[in-house]
Amino acid sequence: MLRFKLVGAIVAVGALLAACSGTGSDSGTSDTAKKNYTYAVITHGAPGDAFWDRVKSGAEQAGKDYGVEVDYSSDADPAKQSQLIDGAVAKKVDGIVVSMANPDGLEASVKKAVAAGVPVITINSGVDKFKDFGAITHIGQTETIAGEAVGERLQTEGQKNVICVIQEAGNVGLEERCKAIANTFDGKVQNLQVDGTDDNAVQATITSKLQADKAIDTVVTLGGQYAIDASSAVKDSGSKAKVATFDLSEDVIKQIQAGTILFAVDQQPYVQGFLGVTGLYLKSINGNDIGGGQPVNSGPAFITKDNADAVLQFAANGTR
Amino acid sequence: MTTATVVDERVARTSTLTTLLKRPEIGALVAAIAIFAFFAITTDVFATPSGASTWLRGASTIGIMAVAVALLMIGGEFDLSAGAMTGFTGLVVGVLTTEYGLNIWAAIVVSLALALGVGAINGILVMKTGLPSFIVTLGTFFVLQGIDLAGTKALIGQVAIQGMSSVPYYDQAKQVFGSNLSVNGGLVYASVFWWIAVTAVATWILLRTKTGNWIFAVGGAQTAARQVGVPVFKTKVGLFMTTAGAGWLVGMLLLFTTSTVQSNTGVGQEFIYIICAVVGGCLMTGGYGSAIGAALGALIYGMVNQGIVYSGWDNNWLKAFLGVMLLGAVLLNEWVRKRAETSR
């Protein structure tokens, strides 16, 4: 009922505006031009993070392709992220794409946006809560799905003893990945905290760990950059450990081709950004709900020696 | 015989031990030995050549910066842009070579020139405006961080340098900045030699040259220094350029050791440099400290960092352990220094 009234109100306001411009001096533009939609993409990604950079690229490419405006902003702090959502609602955007690393922190703002009639699509994280909050759909791959896929893969490769390298202290998603690996992997999984802003220290710390514990046969890194550090560390320490990683980069793919990295699991961040905006666009022009209320998976895609060649050029462009 | 000759205390002979105890770095030296002994005894790998190579490596890049930052702190200033500078210089070389095909050595020189330029801007702004260096360099820190991110993204469409190792003459530059030497089963990285060289040069400048006296003078009493004819402006701008130059050196060491650098490289490290300098005996107020002390501070940091991993402790606690150890080192440092000063 409330929703119906709101829609009615919006339609009425829209009609009023149309009428105004119709009688105004500046006639023509709003009648002939296609309505220019504006969507806000609000994530919890840290600036400079290669993964979120690809989400942003995907969203912006979709904006260009559909001729709509896409405003990307991000803040890792849920309180500030919810302010960004409130701001977008106040600006009367036509839809919001949001990543919910901390759904509880964003609940009020997301519900407010939905109540104000702004369509919301969640991406990346927040699959458990998107329905409750009234979002159209969720596009992503939970940390659990990705982590468990890695665990299974390592199990079939016959690995026994894994260290899971966490490059950012206090990041919930990274912790979840490591935990998910342990869910499907029968061997031992230990977490190793490193300082992600100092690659030299990352290499030294992984080297130290490999020297201290010779039983380690696998290093799993949670970002493409750190896989490069890890494979150098393996070499330096004289260990026989294999390296596997989440996320891609051109260098990672080259090392997969060379056999120094076993595989990379790609949750296809570009897809998350692109599909997020696509979902809103379809809602705006055609009233579609992608997935019909079910979440849509963007990954995981495994990159191994077999398919590395095909992916290389896209990674070089910064879109894979 | 019974009447002791009264000697002016300024020219009185002091025992070698007392002279030693008065040095700023002595507390850090004691702490470093204690921490080394602790990890050497409690872990198997720490004191082996391969173990030592990792903590020396971790300490080396931090140490180069800590020594430069110590000189600046002795001169009475701070540089919060020092961490971001290490990423900036590496990104400049990475972008110019991988994207624009510039000769790698030319790119390295361009990067050095840009770094020294930023250092000079820091120094000139601090001296001309009278603003605290804390504020000025905080500004340049944000500017550099923004350029690192937005500039890199705009120019190469990525936030990390890719494909560096296939750039022509990469191997030459790697020889200088990123190679390693196998000694007795452990690897000694080029950065360690650079660290030793930087520390030696800085110590020589501080203790044996006129410039060294100027640095102590401008940090201890700037007005008095100016009145006796110390070129305050030149000295301070030179110090800011020195930290920027050290940032460039570390940027090169990181780039050519790891073959990649990303836009968040070095962010947050500036405080570690300051902590190492303070652990090494630099006073926050300026006019007192030493280069060797800062190098020892970095050594402590490196040893604790890797020692925790060797010990197999849950390294979610790493930062907490680190904090306690650093506080302990500073307190020990203070205690030793006070004892030394009262036992004249």
Side-chain angles (χ1 to χ4, degrees), chain B residues 305-330:
Chain B
N305 226 332
Q306 305 310 327
I308 286 173
V309 180
Y310 285 132
S311 302
W313 296 339
D314 176 0
N315 66 355
N316 285 345
W317 289 98
L318 189 139
K319 288 275 159 67
F321 283 127
L322 215 51
V324 170
M325 290 239 176
L326 288 170
L327 273 178
V330 176

Side-chain angles (χ1 to χ4, degrees), chain B residues 262-289:
Chain B
Q262 55 188 342
S263 62
N264 66 350
T265 294
V267 172
Q269 302 290 326
E270 53 280 340
F271 290 109
I272 307 234
Y273 311 147
I274 294 174
I275 287 169
C276 291
V278 171
V279 167
C282 283
L283 288 186
M284 301 289 282
T285 46
Y288 186 84

Side-chain angles (χ1 to χ4, degrees), chain A residues 165-244:
Chain A
V165 181
I166 296 183
Q167 74 270 19
E168 193 188 325
N171 182 320
V172 184
L174 300 182
E175 299 274 350
E176 272 177 16
R177 281 182 184 174
C178 293
K179 216 167 87 189
I181 293 172
N183 285 348
T184 52
F185 183 71
D186 293 340
K188 193 174 164 198
V189 179
Q190 317 172 52
N191 291 4
L192 181 70
Q193 184 74 55
V194 295
D195 179 357
T197 60
D198 184 351
D199 282 309
N200 198 37
V202 173
Q203 273 188 29
T205 305
I206 298 173
T207 308
S208 297
K209 188 69 188 177
L210 291 172
Q211 286 169 346
D213 188 349
K214 302 275 187 209
I216 293 164
D217 60 12
T218 316
V219 181
V220 176
T221 54
L222 307 181
Q225 175 83 10
Y226 308 106
I228 307 297
D229 295 337
S231 72
S232 304
V234 167
K235 210 168 80 191
D236 289 355
S237 63
S239 159
K240 296 237 157 42
K242 301 250 170 70
V243 177

Side-chain angles (χ1 to χ4, degrees), chain B residues 85-255:
Chain B
M85 182 65 80
T86 63
F88 172 74
T89 53
L91 288 167
V92 167
V93 172
V95 170
L96 289 179
T97 53
T98 60
E99 188 70 13
Y100 296 100
L102 188 67
N103 176 284
I104 202 160
W105 290 105
I108 289 169
V109 172
V110 169
S111 171
L112 175 62
L114 286 174
L116 292 177
V118 174
I121 291 170
N122 273 338
I124 291 166
L125 277 179
V126 166
M127 294 311 289
K128 290 284 183 199
T129 61
L131 288 169
S133 53
F134 194 84
I135 297 299
V136 170
T137 59
L138 188 63
T140 36
F141 162 67
F142 281 120
V143 171
L144 286 178
Q145 208 185 338
I147 292 175
D148 286 0
L149 178 55
T152 313
K153 171 74 182 160
L155 293 173
I156 64 170
Q158 304 243 19
V159 291
I161 297 297
Q162 307 280 318
M164 192 65 207
S165 50
S166 48
V167 165
Y169 306 115
Y170 173 83
D171 292 340
Q172 278 183 12
K174 192 177 169 71
Q175 275 300 315
V176 179
F177 296 112
S179 56
N180 54 52
L181 200 73
S182 182
V183 178
N184 213 1
L187 298 174
V188 184
Y189 286 85
S191 56
V192 176
F193 295 109
W194 281 103
W195 178 33
I196 294 168
V198 166
T199 311
V201 170
T203 304
W204 176 74
I205 289 174
L206 271 184
L207 300 181
R208 291 276 176 272
T209 69
K210 196 163 65 179
T211 317
N213 285 334
W214 290 347
I215 295 172
F216 279 107
V218 297
Q222 189 170 315
T223 323
R226 185 173 279 128
Q227 283 160 354
V228 298
V230 171
V232 176
F233 186 87
K234 210 170 88 181
T235 308
K236 288 220 174 177
V237 172
L239 285 172
F240 278 106
M241 289 173 73
T242 306
T243 39
W248 166 82
L249 175 57
V250 170
M252 295 308 102
L253 295 171
L254 293 179
L255 179 64

